[in-house]
Amino acid sequence: MKFSKRFSSVAKTIGRNVILPVWLTLRLFSYFRFGWLSKFLGLVGFATFLSPAFFRIAWFYYTDKRVKRDILYGSCPRNRLDLYLPAGCEYDHDEVEQRVRAHSSGSGSSSGGGG
């Protein structure tokens, strides 16, 4: 008699803690469609495939001394550019600033402005 009570108690515990959550999970999954899951996994795989190239470019951008960042070329705080210098070039801040201003001042004609 003790064995059957103990077995009954263990069976109820297993049913309550294992079988019921699994059954409810399967029931919940039956309401979802899994077409999005294959597309999502494809997107994750594609991003994983491309990430080494992106990490390489980001590492180069943030660690190389030849990349000059946030060069101000106008009076607005958002008028900034990043400049890549090839090997062997020297960086003169005043000369670069003058050239950038001269080049950016003549760009109005490409947007349809007369002149």
Side-chain angles (χ1 to χ4, degrees):
M1 192 69 164
K2 288 183 181 180
F3 178 73
S4 66
K5 284 186 180 181
R6 181 175 271 172
F7 181 74
S8 174
S9 173
V10 170
K12 285 181 183 177
T13 302
I14 290 174
R16 186 175 49 229
N17 294 332
V18 176
I19 296 173
L20 182 63
V22 169
W23 179 73
L24 289 173
T25 302
L26 292 175
R27 188 172 172 192
L28 178 67
F29 282 155
S30 70
Y31 292 111
F32 294 121
R33 296 190 178 185
F34 289 105
W36 65 271
L37 186 61
S38 64
K39 291 178 184 177
F40 177 73
L41 291 176
L43 179 65
V44 168
F46 183 69
T48 304
F49 180 73
L50 292 178
S51 64
F54 292 143
F55 289 142
R56 182 178 177 195
I57 292 169
W59 180 262
F60 172 79
Y61 176 77
Y62 287 111
T63 59
D64 199 341
K65 301 291 184 194
R66 294 179 293 172
V67 177
K68 304 300 179 190
R69 289 179 282 286
D70 294 331
I71 297 174
L72 201 63
Y73 67 89
S75 60
C76 184
R78 294 184 64 180
N79 292 345
R80 296 179 182 272
L81 66 95
D82 297 338
L83 185 65
Y84 168 74
L85 301 173
C89 287
E90 293 185 19
Y91 175 70
D92 182 14
H93 180 71
D94 296 331
E95 181 182 347
V96 169
E97 187 176 335
Q98 289 173 358
R99 287 185 182 192
V100 168
R101 283 186 182 171
H103 180 68
S104 65
S105 64
S107 63
S109 62
S110 65
S111 63

